[in-house]
Amino acid sequence: MDENLLKTGDLSLTLSWPTDGDGGIYSCRVYNRKGDVLMEKQVWLKVKVQEQVEVESGVESVLLPCRTTESLDGDVRVEWMDDRDRKVHVYQNGSDQPGEQNEFYRTRTKMDENLLRNKDLSLTLSWPTYGDENLYSCRVYNRKGDALIVKRVQLKVKDPEQVEVESGEESVLLSWTITKDLDGDVRVEWRDSRDKKVHVYQNGSDQPGEQDPSYRTRTKMDENLLKTKDLSLTLRRPRERDRGIFTCRVSNRAGVIRRMKQVALHVKGQWFKCIFPIS
């Protein structure tokens, strides 16, 4: 507030780096010594998202832009966070700090190596899925922890491919065929929306021991998937509780995700007509 507000009569409030969480009605009240309200004013603050990015589920990467015109010295900390306060990417002391990342984002983010010189703080997020739809914040702090720059970007991910089947059908196919070659040292993993392992392929063969018990003996993939590039999953005897988003990830030995796709499965329930004899 104005340091000389009693003299200037200016009771305005400056709020630094407003976010959508700051939106709402603010009240300014002036009291006398007895506690009587002498004056009151209300201001409604509405905070708009600075930028919105929309992308298809399963694309190789998406760029969350954040550029500045201000000069940045080497003694700054750059943090990307999502709206659940998870650390998406951290840069400090001249390099990335992957140990501070939330594991959900580990190996999937990248920033400009010369970000201080180029003043480009944009974040590249690899293999965005429906679960990445979020409001992301880019914050730059000085050594004291004061925020120098704050920018927010809304990421919207379009709905994944939809597959519909009747409960009780013999099987349903969650299809995915790729065009790029796969070497033998990859891991292919299908997971459901509850993060249960549906099917795992590694070292040239299926790994049924890693499957969640609810899917054991109910899944199948192409035996020659490395050659055919067909990563589709056949799910036998689909039931209503199987519905949800299934995610297939292809990663290398180091755990870095190379490809990803999501398929939304909708299983319709069956209705049975029962006829009871009348005695």
Side-chain angles (χ1 to χ4, degrees), residues 89-134:
H89 194 102
V90 179
Y91 174 96
Q92 193 172 20
N93 300 323
S95 62
D96 296 331
Q97 305 295 318
E100 294 194 42
Q101 279 182 296
N102 183 278
E103 61 180 10
F104 181 71
Y105 296 103
R106 202 159 294 162
T107 77
R108 292 204 296 134
T109 60
K110 184 180 179 182
M111 293 183 72
D112 188 334
E113 294 179 359
N114 300 309
L115 60 89
L116 298 182
R117 183 192 306 168
N118 298 334
K119 302 177 183 179
D120 187 355
L121 311 178
S122 303
L123 179 76
T124 299
L125 177 63
S126 301
W127 308 110
T129 66
Y130 192 67
D132 291 315
E133 186 166 286
N134 223 311

Side-chain angles (χ1 to χ4, degrees), residues 128-141:
T129 66
Y130 192 67
D132 291 315
E133 186 166 286
N134 223 311
L135 187 59
Y136 293 85
S137 300
C138 177
R139 298 182 176 94
V140 181
Y141 301 94

Side-chain angles (χ1 to χ4, degrees), residues 42 62 89 100 113 149 166 189 197 217:
Q42 289 187 321
V62 61
H89 194 102
E100 294 194 42
E113 294 179 359
I149 299 170
E166 292 278 357
E189 192 176 276
K197 291 180 182 178
T217 75

